[in-house]
Amino acid sequence: MSEAIDKESTLGNLPDEWPSSLMSTIAERVALDDQTIVVLDDDPTGTQTVYDLPVITEWSLETLDAEFSRGTPAFYIMTNSRSLTPDAAEVLNKEIATRLLVTAEKYDRRLSIVSRSDSTLRGHYPLETDAIADTLQTLGKGGSIDGQIIAPFFLEGGRLTIDDVHYVAEGSNLIPAAETPFAKDAAFGFTQSNLLDYVEEKSKGTIKKAEVQSITIDDVRRGGPERVRAKLKCLSNMQACVVNAVSLRDMEVFALGLLDAEAKDMKRFVVRSAATFVQARIGLPKRPILTANAINNDDALSSAAGGKKTGGLVVVGSYVPKTTAQLESLLALDGMEKIEINVLDLIDSEKRPTTISSTLDQVQKAIACGKNTVVYTSRKLMTGNDPSESL
């Protein structure tokens, strides 16, 4: 079992970052490439590290055609598949991958699919990456998938990977992911913080720890994109490869190495990542957090509301202690319209329609009156008899 470590001393003992930013280089490559990057986002939080990218919530051929016809180099599909049963999630991923292949072929574009999921390792893994890879290999023309990349680093959330162990930052400490409340999830629980062990655990032993490749901190900080490329070049037959990273620069180095392995070595990958990888993969510069003034002065928002000032909306569903603490701070702010949903009413099939309808009415009225509104579920965790029921 991995133990908690001191954050400051651990990070201070790592090699220096790669000396220069690679974002502009990556962005230029993406703009000139004949490849379209599509991020399948398994819940609504995956876009928090990006901006100015299309996000679609349905995947008809007509909708996908519209995105490809615009020449969009990257876009998101919000699948919400983390809320589905394993069988339903598998069907959904195969359906989307199939339609993406059809559309990409129509526009003579290569296709890169990123399976964006949770930075604390919850979600349908490896089911979703397997479903995507199987579809690409069976129906596509590009040949076999050489590697599956596991990159759960998420800078803003303090989710760091060091020596193959995935950590969650808590104050001055780094806590192994398997020792956090996230790992006790009724649907997606796990016991291993070392990502090599995690892959073996979640694959139920079909992928052995010894078979998993690793891109280390030393690789990205001392070896740079060339060493990353050399390691990725050796992957074959959907081999798993975990990525260590503690900074955005680390992920930039990895992303450029991956681009080189694809372009120069003709390697193909499916990526399972948290939010930060996507930002690095498309070379999107980091920008400051949106301020209240910027939101309130947004001409487009004002025009959409007929020139009338409307309220904002925050929706909180997560039950973990950290989210509850954040919710308590939010509820303590003056002027917030607070709407609590009893989870028992959502579970009850008879009460559910009325509960949803009533909540929507309250939200619409509050926002129309200019009130900032928070909708949140009751804090008691409700679980089913098995992981699927707990979804």
Side-chain angles (χ1 to χ4, degrees), residues 125-139:
Y125 174 82
L127 180 146
E128 292 189 308
T129 47
D130 286 347
I132 293 166
D134 288 348
T135 304
L136 295 179
Q137 292 177 131
T138 303
L139 302 179

Side-chain angles (χ1 to χ4, degrees), residues 65-120:
D65 189 276
E67 290 304 326
F68 275 83
S69 69
R70 295 187 187 102
T72 309
F75 64 92
Y76 279 73
I77 301 177
M78 213 295 284
T79 69
N80 210 32
S81 61
R82 207 184 304 173
S83 68
L84 302 179
T85 63
D87 287 347
E90 182 177 18
V91 169
L92 179 145
N93 275 269
K94 287 185 174 182
E95 176 185 88
I96 295 175
T98 299
R99 293 180 182 180
L100 286 170
L101 278 171
V102 170
T103 313
E105 183 175 345
K106 176 181 176 180
Y107 287 92
D108 196 24
R109 300 282 293 180
R110 292 186 302 118
L111 183 63
S112 175
I113 297 180
V114 177
S115 176
R116 202 298 305 183
S117 191
D118 182 42
S119 62
T120 59

Side-chain angles (χ1 to χ4, degrees), residues 175-321:
I175 312 298
E179 308 306 316
T180 69
F182 303 108
K184 310 304 184 288
D185 190 281
F188 301 113
F190 56 94
T191 65
Q192 301 298 325
S193 302
N194 184 297
L195 292 181
L196 280 64
D197 293 316
Y198 170 84
V199 170
E200 182 169 331
E201 176 185 13
K202 299 304 284 187
S203 69
K204 296 181 171 59
T206 59
I207 304 173
K208 303 300 183 185
K209 174 181 179 179
E211 300 168 351
V212 183
Q213 180 61 270
S214 172
I215 304 296
T216 67
I217 294 291
D218 194 75
D219 290 333
V220 295
R221 295 196 167 191
R222 290 183 171 145
E226 275 303 310
R227 189 183 299 177
V228 172
R229 175 193 169 190
K231 281 197 163 183
L232 294 180
K233 183 179 179 180
C234 296
L235 299 183
S236 62
N237 195 31
M238 193 60 176
Q239 185 176 359
C241 178
V242 305
V243 182
N244 289 269
V246 300
S247 72
L248 180 57
R249 182 68 54 80
D250 293 340
M251 199 53 76
E252 292 173 36
V253 172
F254 173 77
L256 186 56
L258 181 142
L259 281 172
D260 285 340
E262 289 180 331
K264 300 175 182 178
D265 305 314
M266 307 305 292
K267 306 299 283 187
R268 300 181 73 209
F269 308 101
V270 170
V271 178
R272 180 74 165 186
S273 79
T276 300
F277 168 79
V278 179
Q279 181 183 7
R281 174 64 179 82
I282 63 177
L284 189 67
K286 193 174 180 62
R287 73 178 184 185
I289 294 174
L290 201 60
T291 64
N293 284 337
I295 295 173
N296 291 332
N297 293 329
D298 192 308
D299 292 336
L301 291 176
S302 178
S303 175
K308 182 180 178 181
K309 182 179 179 181
T310 59
L313 175 63
V314 178
V315 180
V316 183
S318 175
Y319 67 88
V320 295

Side-chain angles (χ1 to χ4, degrees), residues 346-374:
L346 291 177
I347 295 174
D348 189 320
S349 59
E350 293 184 0
K351 293 183 179 180
R352 186 186 305 131
T354 302
T355 300
I356 294 173
S357 177
S358 173
T359 302
L360 286 173
D361 286 343
Q362 293 179 68
V363 169
Q364 289 170 346
K365 289 176 182 176
I367 291 177
C369 292
K371 296 181 180 179
N372 292 322
T373 303
V374 54

